[in-house]
Amino acid sequence: MKKVTAFVGSARKKHTHDAVCRFLDHLQARGDVECEIVALSDYRLEVCRGCKLCFEKGEEACPLKDDRDTLIAKMVASDGVVFASPNYLFQVSAIMKTFLDRLAFFAHRPRFFGKTFTNIVAQGFPFDSKIGKYLNFAGACLGYKTVGGSHITALEPMTEKEARKVDRVLERHSRRFHQSLMRSNLPAPSFVMLIGFRIGRTTLRLELDDRNFDYRYYRDKGWFDSDYYYPVRLGPLKKAAGSLFDALGRRMARKRTG
Ligand SMILES: Cc1cc2nc3c(=O)[nH]c(=O)nc-3n(C[C@H](O)[C@H](O)[C@H](O)COP(=O)(O)O)c2cc1C
C-alpha cells in the first residue's frame, strides 16, 4: 500500500480542493493507494524570516515554532505528494509559498529520493502553465521524481461540460502519477539537476568548512565525492558534463575566495 498526501494551498474548500479530491478518487481506484488531504490553512505556518539558520545550523535551529515539522512528518511518511494551489496573480498562493519557503532547506539537503511529486493548479485563465512547472521544479529540488501536473480552468459557475473535461484531465493525470508511485526507482538526474548538484557541492566544499551544517551533511553523506546524491549510472555525456561543472564550481569558488 502506497501513501499519498495532498497539500492544498487554498484557504477555501472549492476548486483546488475539489480537483484534489477527484484526482485522489481516481488514484485510489487504480489500487494499493491510501490518501490524505492536508489543507495548509488548517495549520500554523509562520513566514520565513530569512535568518538562514536552517542552512547553516540545521533545520532544528529554526526560530519559528509552528506546525512545520508536523507537515514535514507527513511528507516523510508519504510515498507520493501532491502540491495543489490556486493561481493568485500568476503565482502560487501565499499559503503555498509560505510552505515552500519553510521547506527550502531541503533544496540544500534533498531527501525525498525515489518518492513521487506532482502538482494541481486551479485558475481562471486557461493558458498558463508556469505555476505547475515551478512547483515541479521545487519538488525536484527537494529530491522527488516529478510527474507533470494538471492546470484546472475553474470558471464560476462551472458548467457540466467543463466539469467533465476537468475530470478527464485528472483521470489521465492519476494514471501517470500511479505509474511513477508504484516504481520506487532512483532515476538518472536531468542535466539541470546534475549541474545544480555538481556546482553546488564543489563550491560548498571549497568555500565552507565543518562549522557549517550543509558542509557536514554533504561530507557525511559522501556527496563531495559521489556522482550524484544517490548511486546512479551516468551516461558518457552526463559524466563529462559532471566533470565540467565540478571544474566550473572550482573556478567560481577560487574567484570568490581569492
Ligand atoms: C487574489 C486572487 C488572484 C487571482 N489571480 C489569478 C490569476 O492571476 N490568473 C488566473 O487565472 N486566475 C486567478 N485567480 C482566480 C483563481 O485562480 C481561481 O478562482 C481558482 O479557482 C481559485 O481556487 P479556489 O477555488 O481553490 O480558491 C485569482 C483569484 C484570487 C482570489
Side-chain angles (χ1 to χ4, degrees):
M1 196 57 118
K2 302 280 186 181
K3 164 99 181 159
V4 174
T5 306
F7 297 91
V8 183
S10 176
R12 60 179 196 163
K13 289 196 169 57
K14 199 129 189 223
H15 296 299
T16 316
H17 177 267
D18 291 352
V20 165
C21 289
R22 291 303 299 138
F23 173 80
L24 294 180
D25 284 348
H26 286 304
L27 194 66
Q28 273 173 310
R30 293 180 181 280
D32 297 325
V33 181
E34 59 176 53
C35 301
E36 180 182 355
I37 300 184
V38 172
L40 291 175
S41 54
D42 290 345
Y43 291 78
R44 211 164 47 84
L45 268 183
E46 291 190 33
V47 174
C48 172
R49 291 184 195 157
C51 65
K52 299 200 213 166
L53 284 174
C54 57
F55 300 153
E56 290 158 12
K57 306 261 179 241
E59 58 268 33
E60 268 96 69
C62 178
L64 303 177
K65 301 299 166 215
D66 56 13
D67 293 332
R68 179 199 70 171
D69 290 348
T70 305
L71 294 166
I72 289 175
K74 289 179 183 297
M75 291 169 72
V76 171
S78 303
D79 303 290
V81 295
V82 184
F83 278 30
S85 176
N87 175 336
Y88 281 179
L89 208 64
F90 312 109
Q91 246 310 338
V92 293
S93 64
I95 305 172
M96 178 55 76
K97 188 62 171 69
T98 300
F99 184 42
L100 290 168
D101 291 349
R102 300 299 304 290
L103 301 177
F105 66 89
F106 283 128
H108 282 218
R109 306 185 292 271
R111 63 174 287 184
F112 297 102
F113 307 125
K115 299 180 178 217
T116 300
F117 181 102
T118 198
N119 70 79
I120 294 175
V121 178
Q123 58 192 15
F125 182 65
F127 308 110
D128 190 355
S129 59
K130 288 188 307 294
I131 298 176
K133 288 195 181 101
Y134 163 70
L135 281 169
N136 266 19
F137 185 64
C141 291
L142 270 48
Y144 287 101
K145 295 184 282 174
T146 58
V147 167
S150 294
H151 283 75
I152 300 309
T153 308
L155 295 170
E156 287 170 13
M158 196 186 277
T159 64
E160 276 288 310
K161 195 174 163 205
E162 285 164 348
R164 277 200 301 278
K165 189 173 167 201
V166 166
D167 200 50
R168 279 198 301 276
V169 168
L170 293 168
E171 204 268 332
R172 285 197 297 270
H173 184 183
S174 76
R175 190 189 325 141
R176 298 193 298 276
F177 187 82
H178 193 266
Q179 269 169 6
S180 173
L181 190 67
M182 293 300 149
R183 294 182 65 213
S184 306
N185 60 325
L186 296 172
S190 66
F191 269 103
V192 172
M193 296 308 295
L194 182 67
I195 290 167
F197 171 71
R198 297 297 267 265
I199 293 185
R201 67 97 179 265
T202 303
T203 51
L204 195 78
R205 179 170 62 80
L206 297 173
E207 292 180 24
L208 300 176
D209 58 36
D210 63 7
R211 285 170 296 180
N212 178 279
F213 192 90
D214 278 347
Y215 181 97
R216 293 197 298 277
Y217 194 90
Y218 273 63
R219 183 198 58 199
D220 297 349
K221 290 269 177 203
W223 287 351
F224 286 145
D225 304 306
S226 59
D227 279 348
Y228 192 56
Y229 293 113
Y230 47 75
V232 66
R233 195 189 287 275
L234 299 178
L237 209 58
K238 283 189 178 160
K239 253 191 188 330
S243 305
L244 188 71
F245 286 104
D246 276 336
L248 186 62
R250 284 195 292 276
R251 214 179 126 165
M252 286 163 69
R254 262 202 311 275
K255 259 192 168 167
R256 294 201 57 238
T257 54

